[in-house]
């Protein structure tokens, strides 16, 4: 069987305030196109369809439309789970009806143990869960940590294994490290509860969601698809796309299919003057989302607004070597400043920020407040 | 055909802070039972399934379970619309799949004009809409008011009428009054936009939602079902239930089926001592939600807590004749009070409310604040 593996759509996500719905729609359109061109037997979505547990109406409408398009219009089977960003309860609405058209969307741990049989493959759709959910399901208080709970989950799944079939797990968690010999030590990597990768060994393929970097795990039979869209500057250098998973090969054959963004996310570094001078350079894609790092050390008046003229989707601004901050009020020395009265300082500061002097009423309030503060200081 | 007509479930609603979910589940169970006993051909839900556009997860789970129970377990067809309390967008999730099991849930005006054909009956499911939605749908800016818009909607529906069949409209609005002869005057009743009832004349039955009182409209062929649960003290005297609608009769035959609450909502009036004396009286249902009106004129210390001992679900407390309020501080005359310094008054007041004196730090702050206030008063 041939599956398309995607995850972490995070519909509703914003990038430093920019609406990403056009990017997400564009990525979806490419996913749909890849699925059709490659004639896949189904689409795996490994959790985090939404960016938040309480999605906006526009996000709800968008996810609804995407699932309808793939499943009802294109007649593509869907094998999906809820992730930690989804509300399992909200995502569950309608799911009992969806199976009729081969849309499987598991949101409760109890659903993980009844595999969906697709040709020669058993798909175990394991929604995101907390150790507490496993404690409840197995009625076993000893499942205190994710690695313990997940080991138990895998044991339970293996009882459903049909030896004549391939076994694919769809799950949403942080997979890293290996089980320790000391059963008392519970696996955490970088402070995060992790599932040791040796627990994944009995599956022919593990389609993971949770991490947005496809290269976070490089095992031959377990992968993150990563998100289809870059959601932060830290993902600037990553390739986004989906996996094609051919379970007819042993081991499974994995092919990465790239997704091209409308506007890329990039880090650019340079002198302010040089960056501004690219304005007429057609080789520079000024419409990308850019994190700008300036190498200048001088103060640059109104720098953000001027950069935005050339790079309208600028998302962050930094300096490589720090910069000489525009301290002091109109170039005054710290000694000059120290000689000013608190009231004068306050007035100057207000004028600097508000571009207008304190009103007489404001001055009266400020005087009274400073007086109270001074008296309290004297009493203390 | 035989339909059960209900509406205004308002799942998630609270009564003066009391969780009503047990009441709502109990009412639902009775609705299900009536539908089965009467072997109805379908259940009409005329809007406001939820109490709010953004329902809590517990409410989502409850509505999901109710619809699944009726439709998937009991195999009862459902003919439902969104009301003004629902988010049409959120309620729309899954609806394209629901039709496969005869669950029709219309959330968009465009769906109102394609009747659902059920035996000898055409059901027009018209979701709650605003005049603006009608303007958009008909591309007609002249539809400024609800009565104009609704007239146009009905005209459009009538083009779909099969003369050999009965015509049932399911809708959610305030129906009252009649069309004026002056087309420039738009119907409002008590300040609310209303649909004139003569616009409903061409239907064999109009199953309405919106008003919670079943007797709000007494036409032979148009009714509100009312809410299945009392949602406020103003509904205390109402009978709650559902309509059975037999469209084989002309005019349709309407039978009201009552729903019995777990705890009723009641207004009780009496002297405090008399109400307290009912504590051991088994004829008084102390577990009801009660709005208490006392006829006493004396102050009664700790009155709410004492009443709650006997009536744990007390929701409001009032007096018939007003009462002599417990004014003054420990019985002091207003003259005595006027002679106190602001600081003493503040301290007395704080102690009265907080049951402890001002701390030294609080006293310091209060003194400074009063001083500032006094100085400002002098300057002003």
């Amino acid at each position: 069987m041939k599956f398309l593996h995607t995850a972490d759509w995070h519909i509703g996500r914003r990038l430093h305030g920019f609406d990403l719905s056009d990017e997400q729609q564009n990525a979806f359109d490419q996913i749909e196109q890849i699925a059709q061109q490659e004639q896949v037997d189904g689409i795996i979505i490994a959790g985090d369809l939404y960016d938040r547990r309480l999605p906006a109406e526009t996000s709800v409408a968008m996810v609804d439309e995407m699932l309808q398009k793939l499943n009802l219009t294109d007649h593509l089977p869907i094998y999906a789970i809820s992730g930690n960003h989804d509300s399992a309860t909200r995502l569950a609405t309608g799911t009992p009806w969806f199976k009729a058209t081969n849309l499987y969307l598991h949101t409760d741990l109890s659903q993980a143990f009844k595999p969906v049989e697709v040709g020669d493959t058993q798909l175990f759709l394991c929604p995101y869960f907390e150790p507490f959910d496993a404690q409840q399901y197995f009625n076993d208080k000893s499942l205190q940590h994710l690695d313990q709970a997940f080991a138990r989950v895998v044991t339970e799944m293996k009882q459903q294994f049909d030896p004549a079939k391939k076994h694919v797990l769809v799950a949403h968690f942080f997979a890293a490290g290996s089980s320790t010999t000391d059963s008392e030590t519970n696996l955490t990597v970088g402070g995060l509860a992790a599932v040791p990768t040796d627990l994944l060994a009995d599956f022919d393929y593990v389609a993971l969601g949770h991490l947005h970097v496809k290269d976070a795990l490089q095992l031959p039979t377990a992968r993150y698809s990563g998100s289809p869209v870059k959601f932060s500057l830290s993902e600037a250098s990553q390739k986004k796309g989906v996996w094609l998973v051919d379970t007819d090969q042993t081991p499974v054959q994995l092919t990465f299919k790239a997704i091209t963004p409308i506007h890329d996310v990039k880090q650019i570094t340079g002198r302010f003057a040089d960056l501004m001078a690219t304005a007429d350079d057609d080789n520079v894609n000024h419409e990308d989302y850019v994190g700008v790092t300036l190498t200048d050390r001088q103060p640059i008046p109104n720098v953000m607004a001027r950069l935005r003229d050339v790079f309208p989707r600028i998302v962050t601004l930094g300096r490589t070597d720090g910069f000489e901050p525009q301290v002091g009020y109109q170039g005054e020395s710290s000694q000059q400043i120290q000689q000013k009265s608190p009231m004068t300082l306050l007035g100057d500061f207000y004028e600097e920020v508000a571009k207008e002097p304190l009103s007489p009423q404001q001055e009266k309030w400020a005087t009274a407040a400073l007086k109270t503060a001074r008296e309290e200081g004297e009493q203390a």
Side-chain angles (χ1 to χ4, degrees), chain A residues 118-369:
Chain A
V118 189
D120 66 352
T121 302
Q122 290 186 303
L123 283 163
F124 292 85
L125 309 181
C126 180
Y128 175 81
F129 67 93
E130 304 271 356
F132 178 76
D133 303 313
Q135 285 177 32
Q136 297 284 306
Y137 179 76
F138 293 111
N139 194 19
D140 181 351
K141 290 268 181 205
S142 77
L143 305 172
Q144 291 288 318
H145 298 275
L146 184 59
D147 49 354
Q148 299 167 326
F150 206 82
R152 180 66 180 272
V153 163
V154 169
T155 304
E156 194 81 3
M157 283 176 177
K158 282 161 76 175
Q159 292 174 12
Q160 308 299 323
F161 272 23
D162 177 345
K165 293 194 175 184
K166 298 290 174 79
H167 311 107
V168 171
L169 170 63
V170 181
H172 189 95
F173 53 75
F174 178 31
S178 63
S179 296
T180 54
T181 46
D182 181 355
S183 66
E184 295 301 307
T185 313
N186 300 105
L187 187 63
T188 59
V189 177
L192 288 171
V195 170
T197 55
D198 46 303
L199 284 180
L200 312 177
D202 291 312
F203 295 94
D204 294 284
Y205 183 64
V206 182
L208 288 166
H210 195 43
L211 302 187
H212 294 182
V213 197
K214 79 168 167 59
D215 298 323
L217 197 67
Q218 303 255 18
L219 298 177
T221 58
R223 292 291 179 119
Y224 288 97
S225 66
S227 56
V229 167
K230 293 180 185 175
F231 291 133
S232 77
L233 280 170
S234 66
E235 301 176 32
S237 62
Q238 296 170 23
K239 270 224 164 87
K240 295 301 189 183
V242 298
W243 289 109
L244 289 177
V245 185
D246 187 346
T247 59
D248 294 341
Q249 316 290 320
T250 307
V252 295
Q253 190 191 312
L254 296 173
T255 314
F256 188 73
K257 291 280 177 181
I259 289 173
T260 313
I262 308 172
H263 304 302
D264 205 354
V265 176
K266 278 184 189 161
Q267 280 284 8
I268 53 176
T269 300
R271 286 180 53 241
F272 177 75
D274 295 341
L275 295 181
M276 295 299 287
T278 68
D280 299 321
D281 183 348
D282 291 343
N283 293 317
V284 176
N285 195 338
H286 297 98
E287 299 297 321
D288 285 346
Y289 300 98
V290 290
V292 173
T293 307
L294 296 178
T295 54
D296 311 73
R297 285 185 59 82
Q298 304 76 27
I300 302 166
N302 215 9
V303 59
M304 193 64 164
R306 289 162 73 191
L307 279 170
R308 195 169 276 139
D309 278 344
V310 177
F311 299 95
R313 290 188 176 78
I314 184 169
V315 293
T316 62
L317 178 60
R319 303 262 192 163
T320 40
D321 304 314
F323 67 108
E324 283 166 13
Q326 205 173 359
V327 288
Y329 178 63
Q330 295 179 341
E332 292 167 313
S333 71
S334 63
Q335 207 180 0
Q336 281 175 304
I337 290 171
Q338 279 173 14
Q339 286 164 3
K340 291 189 173 185
S341 77
M343 190 59 213
T344 310
L345 275 175
L346 182 66
D348 290 351
F349 175 71
Y350 182 84
E351 201 165 335
E352 173 77 1
V353 174
K355 311 294 175 208
E356 60 180 28
L358 288 167
S359 72
Q361 180 60 56
Q362 286 173 321
E363 242 178 83
K364 207 182 284 175
W365 287 332
T367 308

Side-chain angles (χ1 to χ4, degrees), chain A residues 1-4 35-36 38-44 75-79 102 118-121 123 244-248:
Chain A
M1 309 301 286
K2 204 169 172 183
F3 300 103
L4 183 152
Q36 289 178 320
E38 301 289 337
Q39 297 184 294
V40 299
D41 296 299
I43 294 179
I44 291 168
H75 303 292
L76 286 161
I78 296 177
Y79 309 103
N102 290 318
V118 189
D120 66 352
T121 302
L123 283 163
L244 289 177
V245 185
D246 187 346
T247 59
D248 294 341

